[in-house]
Amino acid sequence: MWEFRSMNFWRAVFAEFFGTMFFVFFGMGAALRWTTGPHHVLHVALCFGLAAATLIQSIGHISGGHINPAVTFAYLVGSQMSLFRAIFYMVAQCLGAVAGAAVLYGVTPTNMRGNMALNTLQPGISLGMATTVEVFLTMQLVVCIFAVTDERRNGRLGSAALSIGFSVTIGHLMGVRHTEDTVVYWVGPMIGGAMGALLYDFMLFPRMRGLSERLATLKGSRPPESETQQETRGEPIELKTQAL
């Protein structure tokens, strides 16, 4: 596997670890109750959104700035990255999330830790309802990411990182926060990510590529042109990992 021998590949994997670690650290930190006053969900949502925008801007040209396994899975479903890279990205993201939570736990005073912003299911909200909301919110996020980073569009309005950041903010404002059931945050986002990729790449703005080309990308048998360009000219690449 040529990617395994590429230094740029390992830089990208570490960037995903680094980005996810800080994303979780700042997001969870904002969700903790540091004061006895009212807890404003808008503050938490803005923190998540601005953290996402900042980190995507920081590591987007290195790894694509996915910082979310559902986003990586969406790019895999859209045949825009290899299975090998996707697996390493997801592992790095999960380890980064654990590291970020561990650092936050270590620097938070004992009397303020509480349950470390552990989510619990709201009264009247079933697993099916919560999972469906996560599906729709992740689908919206992925469509936004695919759209604002699509190199085929004629002109890009504004900042892709900020657009994605605002999308994350909307998701945290509208999402079914508070659920301790792991299935909601794994099954829901993965289904939503896959649906978003299929919706954008096959219906909204189809990519005219044959099956053999898509399989070649998934196998990682074709060196990505974007990485070659990055090595020679250092051009920025946001939320892209392989040539289309």
Side-chain angles (χ1 to χ4, degrees):
M1 187 68 66
W2 69 269
E3 286 179 307
F4 190 81
R5 300 187 298 271
S6 170
M7 184 57 67
N8 279 352
F9 169 77
W10 292 110
R11 291 192 187 102
V13 171
F14 178 75
E16 287 298 313
F17 171 86
F18 172 88
T20 310
M21 178 179 67
F22 277 93
F23 181 64
V24 169
F25 177 83
F26 289 121
M28 284 185 61
L32 292 177
R33 290 184 176 272
W34 297 97
T35 64
T36 57
H39 193 63
H40 299 287
V41 67
L42 178 60
H43 295 170
V44 179
L46 283 174
C47 183
F48 270 104
L50 292 174
T54 301
L55 292 165
I56 289 170
Q57 190 69 25
S58 301
I59 66 172
H61 61 295
I62 302 171
S63 66
H66 295 190
I67 60 174
N68 188 332
V71 174
T72 298
F73 185 65
Y75 274 95
L76 180 65
V77 171
S79 303
Q80 298 191 50
M81 67 187 306
S82 69
L83 176 62
F84 182 80
R85 182 181 289 262
I87 291 174
F88 273 82
Y89 270 29
M90 290 182 185
V91 171
Q93 290 157 359
C94 291
L95 292 177
V98 172
V103 172
L104 180 64
Y105 182 87
V107 300
T108 303
T110 306
N111 62 332
M112 293 184 179
R113 286 174 185 168
N115 61 0
M116 289 298 291
L118 175 67
N119 294 329
T120 55
L121 200 64
Q122 293 277 26
I125 303 295
S126 66
L127 279 179
M129 294 166 63
T131 304
T132 301
V133 171
E134 288 297 322
V135 167
F136 274 85
L137 291 177
T138 309
M139 181 170 63
Q140 165 264 327
L141 172 64
V142 167
V143 169
C144 173
I145 291 172
F146 275 43
V148 299
T149 61
D150 195 338
E151 75 288 342
R152 299 171 298 167
R153 63 186 297 168
N154 296 322
R156 295 183 180 179
L157 300 177
S159 167
L162 280 178
S163 298
I164 297 167
F166 279 120
S167 183
V168 172
T169 301
I170 293 172
H172 280 82
L173 281 174
M174 298 181 62
V176 181
R177 300 299 94 195
H178 313 304
T179 171
E180 59 190 0
D181 298 278
T182 309
V183 65
V184 173
Y185 283 136
W186 278 106
V187 176
M190 290 300 180
I191 294 176
M195 290 175 61
L198 295 174
L199 176 64
Y200 187 84
D201 272 354
F202 292 93
M203 295 182 64
L204 295 178
F205 202 173
R207 297 180 185 273
M208 303 304 176
R209 294 189 295 163
L211 178 60
S212 59
E213 187 177 359
R214 291 181 179 274
L215 289 177
T217 301
L218 291 173
K219 292 177 182 178
S221 57
R222 183 183 61 180
E225 180 183 348
S226 60
E227 183 167 330
T228 302
Q229 292 173 346
Q230 186 178 8
E231 290 177 342
T232 57
R233 297 194 298 272
E235 294 179 354
I237 303 165
E238 290 188 4
L239 284 159
K240 295 293 178 183
T241 52
Q242 291 198 248
L244 303 180

